Amino acid sequence: MSDIRYRTLLLLRHAKSDYPDGVTDHDRPLAERGLREAALAGEWIRANVDPVDAVLCSSATRTRQTLERTGITAAVEFVDRIYDASPGVVIEEINGVPSRFGDEVSTLLVVGHEPVMSALAHGLADEESSNGPVAERFSTKYPTSSVAVLRSAQPWDRWASRGAELVDFHTAR
């Protein structure tokens, strides 16, 4: 029996957003389709991944609404830096999980935006899985309400490029 403790990272792109006149990008809400698809993303996560222990969510309205509609009720921190971030900034936030939530987080959900979610998934994936069939499913497009699932035995504060296995990718429709 293995004593290895794996950590699972879920990278969820926000659901389909609306574009109301006079609303800043940060404040755009979800569209009707997005409300439905965010709920479907939550159902898929609960059915296919261990329970989420903690959430890092962009402070944008559409990411907050996506998280709310997933029905995931884990501890959450809304992080301004995840909105309009680079992959390196999001990795820094992931590395800070123990100081935010403690050492017992096994499954972390990050709710963010494109193009960062796809770049982060590809960048964190080890050589074999970054070129495998799961990665091919989002190599040209990481649609709204999509989630990449990565896994590593590394503690959160040591997650880095090419340090995780990309194990699944799903688009909620």
Side-chain angles (χ1 to χ4, degrees):
M1 185 170 189
S2 174
D3 287 339
I4 296 173
R5 178 176 172 226
Y6 286 99
R7 283 155 192 85
T8 301
L9 174 65
L10 309 172
L11 299 175
L12 175 61
R13 181 181 179 194
H14 65 79
K16 180 70 176 164
S17 58
D18 202 356
Y19 295 88
D21 289 337
V23 175
T24 66
D25 182 74
H26 187 273
D27 295 331
R28 287 191 295 121
L30 291 181
E32 286 299 317
R33 183 179 115 195
L35 294 170
R36 288 189 306 276
E37 291 173 355
L40 292 172
E43 289 174 16
W44 185 86
I45 290 168
R46 282 188 296 283
N48 293 281
V49 182
D50 288 337
V52 173
D53 300 307
V55 180
L56 294 173
C57 184
S58 161
S59 60
T61 300
R62 60 192 177 275
T63 52
R64 288 173 174 264
Q65 289 179 333
T66 297
L67 176 59
E68 180 183 335
R69 294 293 292 196
T70 66
I72 293 169
T73 59
V76 61
E77 287 216 11
F78 297 100
V79 183
D80 288 332
R81 292 181 75 208
I82 294 176
Y83 174 76
D84 200 26
S86 67
V89 166
V90 180
I91 289 173
E92 287 174 9
E93 295 299 327
I94 292 166
N95 292 158
V97 162
S99 63
R100 283 195 153 121
F101 300 107
D103 291 325
E104 297 306 311
V105 174
S106 293
T107 303
L108 174 68
L109 171 63
V110 176
V111 185
H113 310 267
E114 267 300 276
V116 175
M117 293 292 101
S118 60
L120 191 57
H122 281 295
L124 286 170
D126 59 30
E127 285 296 321
E128 185 176 329
S129 63
S130 69
N131 294 310
V134 174
E136 286 178 21
R137 293 181 5 220
F138 67 90
S139 62
T140 58
K141 187 172 183 184
Y142 199 106
T144 54
S145 302
S146 292
V147 59
V149 181
L150 295 107
R151 187 175 80 156
S152 176
Q154 292 295 325
W156 295 114
D157 61 359
R158 295 185 48 210
W159 276 56
S161 294
R162 302 289 181 231
E165 178 187 8
L166 180 62
V167 295
D168 207 347
F169 181 76
H170 176 76
T171 300
R173 295 284 190 263

